[in-house]
Structures are given as C-alpha cells and as structure tokens.
Amino acid sequence: MGAERAGLGERLAGAVRTLWAKHDRATDGWLPLWRHMADSAAVAGLLWDHWLPSNVRTLVAEPLPQGLEDARRLAVWCAATHDIGKATPAFACQVDSLADAMRAAGLDMPSRKQFGDDRRMAPHGLAGQLLIQEWLTERFGWTKRATMQFGVIAGGHHGVPPGHSQILDLEIHPELLRTPGPAEAVWRCVQTELLDACADVYGVRERLAGWQSVNLPQPVQVALTALVIVADWVASNPDLFPYFPEECPRGDAERVTAAWRGLRLPPPWRPAEPQVSAGELFAARFDLPPGARVRPVQEKTVRLARSMPSPGLMVIEAPMGEGKTEAALAAAEVFAARSGAGGVFVALPTMATSNAMFPRMLDWLDRLPPDGLSDIGPEWGERTVLLAHSKAALNEHYADLMRASRSRIAAVDQFGDEGEVRPSADVRSAAAELVAHQWLRGRKKGLLASFAVGTIDQLLMAGLKSRHLALRHLAFAGKIVVIDEAHAYDTWMNTYLDRVLSWLGSYRVPVVVLSATLPAGRRRELAEAYAGTAEGGREVYAALAAADGYPLLTAVSPGTAPAVETPAASGRRTDVRLERLNDDLDALADRLAEELADGGCALVVRNTVDRVLEAAGVLRERFGDKAVTVAHARFLDLDRADKDAGLLKLFGPPGEDGTSPHRPREARIVVASQVAEQSLDVDFDLLVTDLCPVDLLLQRMGRLHRHRRGDRPAGLRQARCLVTGVDWAAASVPLPVKGSCRVYGDYPLLRSLAVLEPYVLDACGGGDTVVRLPEDISPLVQRAYGDEPLGPEQWAERFEQARRDHEAHCARQQRGAEAFRLDKVRRAGRSLTGWIDAGAGDADDTRAGRAQVRDGEESLEVLVVRRRADGTLTTVPWLGRGLGDLELPTDAVPAYKAARAVAASGLRLPYHFSYPRVLDRAIEELEELCVPAWQAKECHWLAGELILILDDGVDGECQARLAGYELRYSQTDGLRVVREGADRQGNV
C-alpha cells in the first residue's frame, strides 16, 4: 500500500494539484483531491485485506477474469476514482479561496452565484460517473453499456445511484463538467491526468481490456459501491486523515498506518469448521443443564449443514422449546466456516424478543474459540457486536458494551500510546473481547458489525428503496442470517421478506429460518424466493409444499434441488385437552376458582388489551389483587422489562437443581395479551385463551406444561386449554368477538375454528380427543392454511364471504408493500442506474422506514414523565434502581441519569390515537408541552421526543388528557384509555 500511495502524488504536477476535495470552514484547512483519492484507495485496500469477509471478496472476484487479484485491483481503483467528479467547476466553485487558486492555474470557472441552481444538476458523484464513462469510452474503446456498470459505483457513493433522467440532464449541460472556452482544455487535461494516474498506480490499465467484456452482476456493483462508501467515510475523517496543513506531517505510508491503527477496525469472524460431534459441539457452545443431551433436531441440523452441497437456505421447523435457536447458531458456525461469511445476524419479531436474544448471543460468542480471529496481532482479537433496534441504547447488556468500548477514533503513530483507544477490560472477559465499536455506531454503519441481534425490520429494510441501501446490503452479504418466528409475519412483511431473500440468495448468503408453525405453502415460497424459479421452474419446489413430516428440515443449495429431512422427535410430548368456555367474565372467574381450588398457575390470554384489563378487574374482585398479574404492550419500557423479569422469576424454568423456589403454591393468574406468545420461557398449569389463528394458538399452548414438574396440583396434571372469545351458541356459525376479528380477520379465525372443532369439547363433555404436541402441530397448521374447504355445510356462506374479504385484504397489503420495495435482481451487466428511484428517501432505520416495512395504522410513541402538585417534573416515582422520582428541571438539561430514565419510559399509544384527526390533534397538544431546554444537542436522550406529562391521580394511578381521551396509567395495569367523561370502567 505504501508504494501505491506514494505513486499517485509523485505522478501529478501543475494545475491538477490545486484541485480540492475537503475544506473546513472553521480552520480553513483543506485536502487536495489527489490526497483524498490516494487516502481512499489505501483504506479500500486495507478494508479488502483485513475487514471484508472472504465470501464478499469471492462474490466480487467471480465475474472477473483474474479472480481475486482483479477484484482487489477493481475495489481499490473504484475507491481511488470515486471523487473524480470534484474535478469539475460545478464542485470547485464552492470555496472562493480554493477556487481562486485553481483559476490562477488556468482552471477558470464561474462563481457559485453565477452557476445558480444549475449547479445542482451536477452532484459530484454523478459528475464522476460521467467522467469515468467518458474516459473508458474515449481512451479504451468501451461501449457506453459496458462503462455504466463500473461508472455507477462512483455515481452512487453518496447513497443513491443516479437515475436515467439525472444522467440525461447533466449530459446536456457540459459546462458543469468543464468551463467552455480556453479553460475547457485545462479541465479535460487535469481530469484525464488524474484518471490516467489512478489507472497506472493501482494497476488497472493493463486489465481494462479484459474487463471490457465483463458483465458485473448487480450484487457485485452493490458490494463495491458499499465498500467505496466505507472507504470514503474513513478517509474523510480528519481525526484519522488530517487536513492540510498538518500539525505533524507524515509520509504517505505513515499517514495510512497511523490512521488504520487509530481506527482499530476488528477483522471479520473466521471460524474453522468444528470437527467434533454435534453433542460435543453443543456442550462446548451452550450452557446446557446437567445431563442434557443434544436433541435429534439439533443433531440433524448440524449434520445437514455439513452435508449440503454448499451453504444456502435451511428451514428448521420444530416444536416450541426444542432448541431451534441453539441449532441455528450451530448451523451458522458450520455455514460460516464453509462459506467464508464473517458474522451472524439474528432477526426477531419484536424489541422484546431481540432484547431476550441479545445476552444469549453474547454467551454464545463468549464460548466460541479464538481460532482464526486475527492475522494482524493479538491486541486486535475483538468481535464487534450490535443490538439493532431503535431503543438498543437502553438495553443494559448493550449499554455496558458501549461504555466499555468507548474510545476516541484518531490516528496513532507506530510507537504512540495506544492506551486511550483500548476497550476497557473491566466488563466481560472472553476468548475474544466483545466490543460495540465506536466507529461502527449509528443507523448507517451499525449493521456492519460482525454480530448483531435485531428486529425483523432491520432485515426487511434491505428490501426498501432508501438512501445508503448498499451499506445495509454489504452488512448482510457478509453474514449468516437467522430469521426466527418466521410464521409471525403478515402479507405486507412477507412481501418485503421474499424480496430480501431473493437478494440474499444472489449474494449466496446462508440463511436459517426458524418456526414452530410454518404453513407448507409459506415454506415453498421462502425456498422459491431465495433460490429463484428459473432452473427447473416451480415444479422443483412442489415437493416442499407436500412435505408433511414434523419436525422438518428443508435445505436449499444454489443450483441443486431442495432436500428435506425428518428428524426424530425428542420424546418430549404434551397431550392438551381443549374445552369451550363461554365468553362471560363471571363464567371465567367461576371456572378458574374451581380449577385453582388447590393452587396452581393459570395463564389467561386475551386478544386485545381492553379485554385483558376487563378480565383482570373481574378476577381481582374474586381472587384478590396479589393473585392476578397483568401483562401487555401498554406499559412503559422499564415497567415492561420489570414485568417480564417478574414473570420469568415466578413461572420460568426450574433451576439447575430442578427446583423452582419462587413458583407460587397458591392460586396465581396472569392475564396477558399476545406478549405471552413469544420470548418468555414461562410455564403454566392451565391455559385459557381467546380464539386466534391456529398457529398462534399452538404457540400459546407452548406455555402450557412447558417444563417437567412433579408438583403440579392433582387436578391440573392433565394439560388443558379452555377456548373462549367466541359466541359458541350462535345459530349457524360460532362468532368470534369483534376485537379478535379486528386483530386477525374473520377468515383465519373461522379456519382455526374448523380445524379445532373435532378437538374442542363442551365444558361438561367427555371423550378422549386431545391435541398431541408436537405430533399434531404440523397437521393442524397445514389444514388451517391450506386451500381445502373446511367446516360444516352451514358455515359455507360465511366462509366464502370471509375468504373474499381476506384475499382482498392480502392483495391490498401486497400492493401497499410494493410501493417502495426494491426491484428484483436484474441480469448481469445491467447497471444500478435508477436502482432506488421513487424510493422512500433517507428513511433507513427511521420511524418512517420501520413503518414502511410493517403494515399498520400509524402509531404515536411518547416519553412519560410525572408532574407533582407543585408543577415540578420528575421521572415516574415507582421506577427501581434509583431511577424513580428524579427531578427534571425545565430550564436546563436534566442530569444524565434522569434523562436516560425518561428515555427508558417510552410508551406507544394505542389504536385510539391512530386515526388521522386524533393523531394530528394529539401531536399538536403534545408539542405544546415541549420543554425548550431539553432540545439541546447535549440532551440527546430527549431532544425531538414527544413528552406526555402525567399528573398524580387516585388509587396509585397517574392521569392525563389527550385529544379527547383520558389516559390512566398504573404500574400494575399499564395504560387504560377512555373517552373524556367516561367512568372508571370506560362507560360514558
């Protein structure tokens, strides 16, 4: 690299050395264009050699005649030339003093004012694309089509590849690229001189003839664009690459070495393929309880990952609690070793499930061997990690890593003191230091960390046309992607997921999909999306839809027919008896009193929060306040976390000694919404649930007799599920309650009713029909989501109307999702020009971006504070860990601890505030409560956030009025919303 860098500056003389790339208005420091081009090239070479995963390097190398050698040359040359568009009058006119120096050298140009708005037609990325294309055409005889796939890399280095109309507009304004008249020849000369020098110094001149016939696949263009963006960002950091004049001038090689040592960007994961048995592998990687043995699904997963012709898509379908997550991580290690992927991303449905997964990921990373970590030196034996969702900074595990990894990014001389840039060693000690790297922070760069856990939105946004999409693609291209709870996504989200899978397949990214209740049709769609249907047509995937084993493993390798494996069941089995229960709260209370007469723990799942609170109120009257706990999504973030921790403590798995000392012996009831379906490893003696789609009902049953216990009350040793939320006495068809229909739609509920009908008994009925878990999981799911008519003949009319409504709804979802969805991968050689035209703008990982990849009414999120009687503001008083009742001054920035506590007191307002008029009114009223002192940049936790102020109420409740509603919040019940003027039960 040193020879390359020295060569560029030495080859240039005269006017070309007056061209500028960077300027600091505060110090008047500047960076010559040739210097930034050389810096960027050097960084790109280092990134290629030490940071880019080998599978991405192989991807880039594949279409090039000389493979990896050509690929590195191309990457470095693209980085070197990416800013050639700054060698134009449209760019150079922006700083008068620097422009005057250029004019003195013969590079005449109009002033910025003289250019006016026309200058906007020549952003330097687009200008650079046209100059590179012109140079390749005029000096090397390339066709325009051949030049576009290479030139667009420079064109897109600011996050958006140019569109066709932008190119046409600039082509008819050549004066923006070169000043007409005597200076035109000088401009042409310096542009050519720079491009010629880059071609010589970076070794591509002799390769251009061979590259002329190359058809670069679009994924390769994306990967190169992203690499150039990263190289440009690093080389543009003045703390790493100081502007001129330098305080401490360094030679070319010293400049690069000092910057790279200061950046300390850890290398990718480079695991060796484990050679031990599956049992030994699981024992080494996971904290298994004493005497635990690897389960058949896990053993078969490892065997299949090793035997697939090449790593590709694997779908793991197995019951709840069967260890699918551990199986996926084991497969990821094997896939990474075989494919050269440099990390893992685990996608989950919600922030809660992501938070629960993050410490599990850290524990797994702690147990990975250090082999192959680094070839640079032991001091760089680090693995970068990320928790990827909008509230990650509030997660204590991730916050600890960020605090321990905090360091200043600055150039470090070879013998300089590196003490300031080393991560703290007082938090976590592992074979490899786990760091939340300072440079790899922020919504644009974060996912470039090697290991990440995040919400599914982070993955779906790889299919959203948005600025800097190439960076997100590079992040996933170098990883193994694990998608958990694949059954949990609707048509809108699946529309994005399928497009993302098609791009992951084109990058040859190994993907592991997990589900306990995946419909066969969806299994086939996932495989088709990943591998495409060009070879052999759709017929090759027909067998996947017909596969009926369970547990089931599906493997799809590029270029080969899909394969399925059916592991043996683990032997864990639960027989669940289903019974009808009238949708009457008194009937619910009476039945629970009967069932829990000798103690026991019951879970009552309701499909809406309103139904949760109604049921909890009645049950508290019967059983007392201490016997009834509420869990739903309308709690402050900190309250929700405490609530989940409390549930795990009381109802979680037994300890290593097999006992559960905190499990209640007296009657205890948890009334919950759908939050009980996912993330929490809790175990109840009895389940009462509203009717819901059958896959979700089975998930709820997974919380029933989940762990082996010998101390269940005698009357609760048979697992039973009472199904309510239905008018069972309706004349023709049992009618689900309106709230359930609003959440899920009639059709999935009716099909669920139909497949469960043979199993559901009247409360006083007899019979031996039970749902056998896991044997009946797949048959029930496949029937419910199949196409065959279901139900008695008298249901037919209602079924048909519900089906039409459901299909229309799905079609609307698909059309809505397609508005900003990324196009399919186009044929090799087609450039990325217009790749994200008509996109969502800079919506990447913003509230707008996350809303676009999920269907649903717009929601409003607020941060909650409390107002005392004297008008002063505090954090809500009941928060633990010393966070409650902290004062919040309104004339100054709050203390860090208090501000962070408020940021952790986020609350998403319910559907009442999703209607446009109500939403607008609510925002207007909340903005009136804005505290100007909290908008300072020093108050990043609170700046720009909407603050909801609660006043002290009665019976432990806090209250507020907003947009015509009364909001009542308590630590026990969360948020209750009623119209103004209603009583405590919500009656007007």
Side-chain angles (χ1 to χ4, degrees):
M1 290 302 302
E4 291 176 355
R5 291 181 49 75
L8 186 61
E10 291 175 354
R11 287 174 175 266
L12 304 172
V16 70
R17 296 184 71 89
T18 68
L19 296 168
W20 64 277
K22 307 285 181 183
H23 177 258
D24 185 342
R25 287 192 177 93
T27 65
D28 204 34
W30 73 294
L31 204 62
L33 178 56
W34 68 265
R35 175 79 277 166
H36 179 60
M37 294 170 75
D39 290 341
S40 300
V43 172
L46 289 167
L47 291 171
W48 180 275
D49 294 337
H50 303 299
W51 177 75
L52 201 65
S54 66
N55 69 323
V56 179
R57 298 199 301 267
T58 301
L59 174 83
V60 177
E62 190 171 77
L64 297 169
Q66 292 187 4
L68 286 170
E69 182 181 346
D70 267 358
R72 189 185 188 280
R73 287 180 178 178
L74 177 57
V76 171
W77 177 73
C78 286
T81 58
H82 79 279
D83 262 354
I84 187 64
K86 292 183 175 178
T88 60
F91 175 85
C93 69
Q94 296 178 90
V95 178
D96 291 339
S97 60
L98 298 176
D100 287 343
M102 293 173 62
R103 292 185 183 103
L107 292 167
D108 198 17
M109 71 191 86
S111 68
R112 182 172 184 170
K113 184 176 181 180
Q114 288 171 325
F115 267 125
D117 289 342
D118 284 355
R119 197 180 65 83
R120 297 179 181 178
M121 290 189 290
H124 70 268
L126 171 58
Q129 176 175 338
L130 293 191
L131 292 179
I132 291 171
Q133 291 180 210
E134 178 188 76
W135 179 76
L136 288 170
T137 300
E138 294 182 356
R139 294 183 70 80
F140 299 95
W142 284 35
T143 64
K144 182 176 181 179
R145 177 187 172 279
T147 67
M148 289 185 70
Q149 56 186 328
F150 289 82
V152 76
I153 296 166
H157 83 268
H158 273 279
V160 181
H164 292 283
S165 62
Q166 292 175 285
I167 294 173
L168 292 174
D169 286 344
L170 184 52
E171 285 178 340
I172 61 176
H173 286 277
E175 72 278 6
L176 298 173
L177 301 179
R178 303 181 186 99
T179 305
E184 182 174 357
V186 186
W187 279 106
R188 183 180 294 274
C189 180
V190 297
Q191 291 163 355
T192 302
E193 188 177 352
L194 275 172
L195 289 171
D196 282 349
C198 287
D200 292 333
V201 170
Y202 302 113
V204 303
R205 181 180 292 274
E206 63 271 22
R207 300 302 310 136
L208 290 174
W211 294 354
Q212 184 173 357
S213 59
V214 166
N215 288 319
L216 282 184
Q218 286 193 327
V220 173
Q221 297 176 50
V222 175
L224 286 170
T225 301
L227 182 65
V228 168
I229 292 172
V230 175
D232 181 31
W233 285 358
V234 173
S236 298
N237 186 330
D239 291 326
L240 295 173
F241 292 93
Y243 289 1
F244 286 15
E246 296 180 88
E247 291 183 10
C248 302
R250 299 181 175 97
D252 289 351
E254 291 175 319
R255 179 178 170 89
V256 175
T257 301
W260 189 251
R261 288 174 64 85
L263 183 62
R264 292 180 59 88
L265 202 59
W269 183 37
R270 300 187 185 114
E273 184 171 350
Q275 299 302 313
V276 297
S277 69
E280 292 171 312
L281 178 63
F282 276 76
R285 300 292 185 267
F286 306 107
D287 185 18
L288 301 179
R293 299 179 59 185
V294 64
R295 291 174 176 153
V297 167
Q298 297 170 331
E299 185 172 16
K300 185 71 78 171
T301 294
V302 172
R303 188 180 305 168
L304 188 58
R306 288 169 168 167
S307 64
M308 289 171 65
S310 60
L313 172 72
M314 181 186 292
V315 182
I316 303 176
E317 298 173 60
M320 300 71 74
E322 195 73 2
K324 294 187 293 295
T325 300
E326 289 76 11
L329 292 175
E333 185 175 356
V334 175
F335 278 165
R338 295 186 62 198
S339 69
V344 177
F345 177 75
V346 181
L348 299 113
T350 65
M351 283 189 281
T353 51
S354 300
N355 286 338
M357 181 63 205
F358 189 62
R360 296 173 67 186
M361 166 77 88
L362 297 182
D363 289 342
W364 174 67
L365 290 173
D366 279 346
R367 294 168 181 270
L368 287 177
D371 301 346
L373 255 180
S374 175
D375 56 6
I376 301 175
E379 71 275 10
W380 282 15
E382 300 171 345
R383 293 188 175 108
T384 52
V385 295
L386 173 75
L387 178 60
H389 61 66
S390 60
K391 298 182 180 180
L394 299 173
N395 179 278
E396 289 302 326
H397 296 282
Y398 190 58
D400 284 347
L401 284 174
M402 288 196 294
R403 284 190 290 268
S405 308
R406 187 175 293 123
S407 61
R408 179 170 177 259
I409 301 297
V412 177
D413 291 323
Q414 183 173 0
F415 301 106
D417 180 11
E418 296 181 65
E420 291 187 4
V421 297
R422 292 190 178 187
S424 169
D426 61 0
V427 179
R428 303 189 70 88
S429 176
E433 184 77 21
L434 304 182
V435 296
H437 195 278
Q438 186 80 17
W439 194 81
L440 292 175
R441 295 190 187 173
R443 58 190 178 90
K444 300 291 186 182
K445 298 180 292 187
L447 282 170
L448 294 171
S450 295
F451 297 92
V453 174
T455 54
I456 188 68
D457 313 65
Q458 302 294 331
L459 181 63
L460 299 184
M461 281 189 284
L464 175 67
K465 291 182 179 180
S466 58
R467 194 177 186 90
H468 289 110
L469 180 61
L471 280 178
R472 191 171 291 267
H473 276 228
L474 178 63
F476 291 124
K479 292 183 176 66
I480 310 297
V481 173
V482 178
I483 304 171
D484 200 3
E485 307 282 3
H487 55 271
Y489 311 124
D490 61 13
T491 300
W492 184 293
M493 298 173 74
N494 283 332
T495 300
Y496 274 98
L497 180 57
D498 288 353
R499 183 55 46 84
V500 171
L501 283 173
S502 73
W503 276 88
L504 294 180
S506 70
Y507 288 116
R508 297 182 184 172
V509 170
V511 176
V512 184
V513 176
L514 310 179
S515 178
T517 54
L518 190 67
R522 185 66 190 136
R523 181 193 310 135
R524 174 177 177 167
E525 290 168 355
L526 292 170
E528 289 178 343
Y530 180 82
T533 57
E535 296 182 13
R538 299 175 63 90
E539 299 78 24
V540 74
Y541 300 101
L544 296 185
D548 58 1
Y550 192 80
L552 188 71
L553 303 180
T554 303
V556 181
S557 294
T560 63
V564 294
E565 297 269 0
T566 307
S570 67
R572 299 169 66 252
R573 173 174 170 170
T574 304
D575 290 343
V576 182
R577 187 177 302 279
L578 270 62
E579 298 181 15
R580 297 177 183 177
L581 181 65
N582 290 334
D583 190 50
D584 176 83
L585 291 177
D586 289 334
L588 172 65
D590 290 342
R591 185 62 182 274
L592 288 176
E594 176 186 341
E595 298 288 352
L596 304 179
D598 297 324
C601 305
L603 173 64
V604 179
V605 184
R606 315 286 270 183
N607 290 339
T608 68
V609 177
D610 291 341
R611 284 176 58 81
V612 169
L613 296 175
E614 290 168 359
V618 171
L619 294 175
R620 285 197 180 113
E621 291 178 1
R622 181 71 64 91
F623 294 89
D625 291 347
K626 292 184 179 180
V628 179
T629 302
V630 165
H632 55 72
R634 289 191 208 164
F635 280 95
L636 304 186
D637 291 333
L638 282 174
D639 288 347
R640 171 84 182 272
D642 288 343
K643 184 78 66 174
D644 288 352
L647 293 175
L648 279 172
K649 180 179 179 179
L650 294 177
F651 308 107
E656 292 186 1
D657 60 358
T659 66
S660 302
H662 301 290
R663 189 174 179 86
R665 299 301 175 219
E666 69 282 0
R668 288 296 295 267
I669 303 168
V670 175
V671 188
S673 67
Q674 293 88 339
V675 299
E677 291 172 7
Q678 300 168 342
S679 77
L680 292 179
D681 184 6
V682 287
D683 169 22
F684 291 89
D685 303 316
L686 177 71
L687 173 66
V688 181
T689 175
D690 281 350
L691 177 73
C692 59
V694 73
D695 53 329
L696 304 182
L697 189 67
L698 290 165
Q699 291 283 342
R700 295 176 188 183
M701 288 186 198
R703 273 61 190 160
L704 185 60
H705 288 213
R706 186 178 180 92
H707 300 292
R708 296 184 185 278
R709 300 184 187 276
D711 57 352
R712 299 190 194 276
L716 299 175
R717 290 174 186 168
Q718 163 70 59
R720 281 177 297 141
C721 171
L722 313 183
V723 181
T724 186
V726 179
D727 180 0
W728 297 107
S732 56
V733 184
L735 295 176
V737 295
K738 289 183 179 179
S740 297
C741 294
R742 187 179 69 245
V743 172
Y744 298 115
D746 285 2
Y747 191 60
L749 293 176
L750 290 175
R751 291 193 70 90
S752 182
L753 266 176
V755 299
L756 292 173
E757 194 270 338
Y759 300 91
V760 180
L761 305 174
D762 292 326
C764 58
D768 297 320
T769 305
V770 295
V771 175
R772 300 166 302 157
L773 303 181
E775 293 94 327
D776 289 337
I777 290 178
S778 185
L780 285 170
V781 170
Q782 307 319 327
R783 286 195 68 209
Y785 286 92
D787 297 325
E788 63 176 298
L790 295 175
E793 188 175 338
Q794 62 266 31
W795 293 16
E797 183 178 350
R798 175 80 183 277
F799 247 93
E800 180 58 24
Q801 182 60 52
R803 182 189 62 79
R804 289 196 297 266
D805 293 344
H806 176 73
E807 291 177 352
H809 173 70
C810 291
R812 285 194 299 271
Q813 282 195 315
Q814 186 165 2
R815 288 194 301 271
E818 288 172 351
F820 296 119
R821 187 180 61 161
L822 188 64
D823 290 339
K824 297 178 180 178
V825 182
R826 302 301 184 183
R827 67 179 184 277
R830 181 164 176 173
S831 82
L832 291 178
T833 302
W835 189 48
I836 56 174
D837 278 0
D842 201 10
D844 182 56
D845 198 18
T846 62
R847 185 177 299 171
R850 292 189 295 273
Q852 178 55 42
V853 295
R854 289 181 186 257
D855 184 28
E857 298 164 325
E858 187 176 357
S859 61
L860 194 61
E861 187 163 0
V862 297
L863 301 183
V864 175
V865 302
R866 168 235 195 173
R867 180 163 51 200
R868 292 173 175 156
D870 63 4
T872 57
L873 301 182
T874 73
T875 59
V876 293
W878 56 78
L879 298 180
R881 300 184 291 278
L883 300 178
D885 210 24
L886 298 177
E887 292 199 2
L888 300 167
T890 56
D891 58 351
V893 173
Y896 177 89
K897 182 178 180 180
R900 190 172 186 271
V902 175
S905 299
L907 177 67
R908 190 173 299 277
L909 298 183
Y911 67 91
H912 311 72
F913 298 93
S914 297
Y915 304 106
R917 289 185 180 178
V918 179
L919 178 66
D920 292 343
R921 179 180 170 185
I923 292 174
E924 183 178 346
E925 292 179 10
L926 289 168
E927 287 177 341
E928 291 177 0
L929 302 175
C930 172
V931 181
W934 298 359
Q935 308 311 308
K937 65 179 181 180
E938 296 82 9
C939 192
H940 68 276
W941 290 113
L942 307 182
E945 300 293 338
L946 296 172
I947 305 296
L948 176 66
I949 299 176
L950 298 180
D951 296 306
D952 289 337
V954 297
D955 297 333
E957 284 189 337
C958 292
Q959 59 191 26
R961 298 190 177 208
L962 183 64
Y965 288 93
E966 291 186 16
L967 281 63
R968 302 166 185 166
Y969 188 91
S970 71
Q971 185 184 10
T972 55
D973 282 357
L975 181 68
R976 186 189 304 269
V977 179
V978 298
R979 291 192 179 276
E980 285 185 348
D983 59 23
R984 296 184 61 79
Q985 283 70 46
N987 301 313
V988 178

